[in-house]
Amino acid sequence: MTSTPLALSIGMPGLALDADEIAFLREANPYALFLFKRNLDNPDQIRRLCAQFRDAVGRPDAPVFVDQEGGRVTRLDNGNWPLFRPLADFGALARKDMDLAKHALRLSTLAMGSMLSDLSMNSGAAPVIDLSRSYTHGVMGNRLLDSDPEVVAALGRVIVDAFLEVGQMPMMKHIPGYGHAAVDPHMELPVVDASLDDLRASDFRPFKALKDTPWAMVAHTLYTQIDAENVATRSAAICNLIRDELEYDGVLISDCITMEALSGTWPERIKGVLDAGYDIALQCQGELGDYQAAAHAARPLSDATLARIARGDVRLGQAHVDARAVHAEVEEIFKTAALA
């Protein structure tokens, strides 16, 4: 096993790790595991899978992530857990009563975070703080809080702070913003022709306001007025802009490199992410051979990345709430506000 973990977060195909997968993980030592519905059946099974991963890589604190935003991006949805509201519901409530929306969103995030902690996972890969526009592709839909950068920043702050409170790592996405994206990056490359001044006045603002968020996920988008040749996740210019202009010095992880927005082989995409200066590449789809190829394309975490990870880890709290009870409180708030 390499002593320093690889700058790689990967998925796995099933509900448990087989002997070949364990041997691979023991040898390659990818930094984190990213789970999907295919990996999630019941609480005990999830805890066993997380423990298998951590035992294989030899790190009891090795992170396990999942996309658990609420609404349509809810991986834990088979009846064993509460179903959390989409972020757009809280944005709608904020237009009626901002203080009540913040209260409800804090409770919802505390409940979701406590649920993830109970399952021995480390992050729901949220909040989404992309801006909503009339033409933003439907793949984003009710994942988005609002069109107003100030509202998005204010509600995003609630999520970041609440996740940290219950020991879950916030991961804001998709920096520097999918709001102008009129196509689905899972299927094709979004091209944004907005000027830098426009982006500064809109999409960049929530990310800069939340620049102390420990982790951020980078968008697969081509910003023609910044780097007309390279998609953001393979652009040193965009990486430098995030670091310098947006003043972000947390961990930068790519969106999943298997999306059709990117070109080249999957190992080439991983190399492109890391060559551009990002901290970690994410490959969440594939079979064992694909992950072996990913490991060959990756490299150990840099000292700078290790320092960023450590700065985030020390901010994790230990609070805990009864997820079902607090979720029920949130539903009562919406019922009372006539936004059920």
Side-chain angles (χ1 to χ4, degrees):
M1 179 188 291
T2 58
S3 57
T4 301
L6 290 179
L8 183 67
S9 178
I10 61 170
M12 278 284 123
L15 297 172
L17 300 176
D18 65 25
D20 289 339
E21 291 162 349
I22 290 170
F24 158 69
L25 291 168
R26 184 171 290 121
E27 174 65 25
N29 193 14
Y31 178 67
L33 178 67
F34 217 106
L35 301 181
F36 283 78
K37 287 186 182 182
R38 64 180 183 265
N39 308 119
L40 308 169
D41 181 46
N42 64 75
D44 287 341
Q45 171 268 320
I46 293 170
R47 294 185 195 106
R48 285 194 300 270
L49 177 58
C50 293
Q52 275 191 303
F53 170 69
R54 291 175 178 131
D55 181 66
V57 297
R59 288 178 284 121
D61 60 348
V64 178
F65 301 143
V66 64
D67 280 319
Q68 182 71 17
E69 302 166 3
R72 60 182 295 272
V73 180
T74 297
R75 308 305 186 200
L76 298 161
D77 66 350
N78 66 8
N80 284 312
W81 303 278
L83 292 176
F84 292 85
R85 285 180 174 268
L87 294 183
D89 284 6
F90 297 94
L93 182 56
R95 288 190 284 276
K96 294 184 64 175
D97 187 331
M98 174 59 86
D99 288 340
L100 185 61
K102 288 181 176 180
H103 175 62
L105 183 55
R106 178 176 180 274
L107 291 179
S108 185
T109 306
L110 293 175
M112 185 185 296
S114 295
M115 179 186 77
L116 293 172
S117 293
D118 285 341
L119 296 170
S120 75
M121 292 190 277
N122 302 91
S123 177
V128 177
I129 57 171
D130 304 299
L131 297 186
S132 174
R133 291 183 170 86
S134 60
Y135 54 82
T136 306
H137 192 273
V139 72
M140 301 307 295
N142 65 8
R143 299 170 67 188
L144 305 180
L145 286 159
D146 202 80
S147 59
D148 184 332
E150 294 300 318
V151 171
V152 172
L155 296 177
R157 169 60 61 194
V158 172
I159 300 172
V160 168
D161 291 349
F163 268 142
L164 286 170
E165 188 176 343
V166 292
Q168 287 289 307
M169 188 61 74
M171 183 186 295
M172 61 179 179
K173 57 192 188 188
H174 306 80
I175 199 169
Y178 264 141
H180 278 291
V183 301
D184 180 357
H186 295 84
M187 303 301 174
E188 56 185 304
L189 174 63
V191 177
V192 173
D193 294 320
S195 70
L196 191 52
D197 285 343
D198 178 11
L199 293 167
R200 285 170 175 148
S202 56
D203 296 70
F204 290 177
R205 286 170 62 191
F207 293 102
K208 191 164 185 178
L210 300 180
K211 64 185 180 183
D212 63 330
T213 305
W215 283 61
M217 181 176 284
V218 186
H220 292 320
T221 301
L222 184 71
Y223 300 89
T224 61
Q225 302 306 302
I226 305 171
D227 184 343
E229 301 298 322
N230 298 292
V231 63
T233 38
R234 299 176 74 164
S235 169
I238 297 290
C239 186
N240 290 337
L241 179 145
I242 292 169
R243 295 296 190 200
D244 298 335
E245 182 164 338
L246 301 189
E247 301 174 2
Y248 184 71
D249 195 29
V251 180
L252 286 170
I253 184 171
S254 74
D255 209 338
C256 183
I257 59 92
T258 65
M259 292 184 183
E260 294 303 317
L262 300 183
S263 60
T265 67
W266 291 355
E268 288 170 347
R269 298 177 193 188
I270 289 170
K271 185 175 184 299
V273 167
L274 300 178
D275 284 350
Y278 296 108
D279 293 294
I280 296 173
L282 167 61
Q283 179 170 325
C284 53
Q285 305 293 335
E287 301 297 330
L288 179 57
D290 299 309
Y291 296 122
Q292 290 168 330
H296 284 298
R299 64 198 67 161
L301 294 170
S302 69
D303 289 343
T305 298
L306 290 168
R308 292 180 183 120
I309 291 169
R311 285 197 297 272
D313 287 348
V314 298
R315 295 177 61 192
L316 295 172
Q318 296 182 332
H320 189 274
V321 303
D322 182 321
R324 290 191 180 276
V326 174
H327 175 265
E329 287 185 52
V330 175
E331 291 305 302
E332 188 61 30
I333 289 171
F334 276 89
K335 181 178 178 181
T336 303
L339 286 173

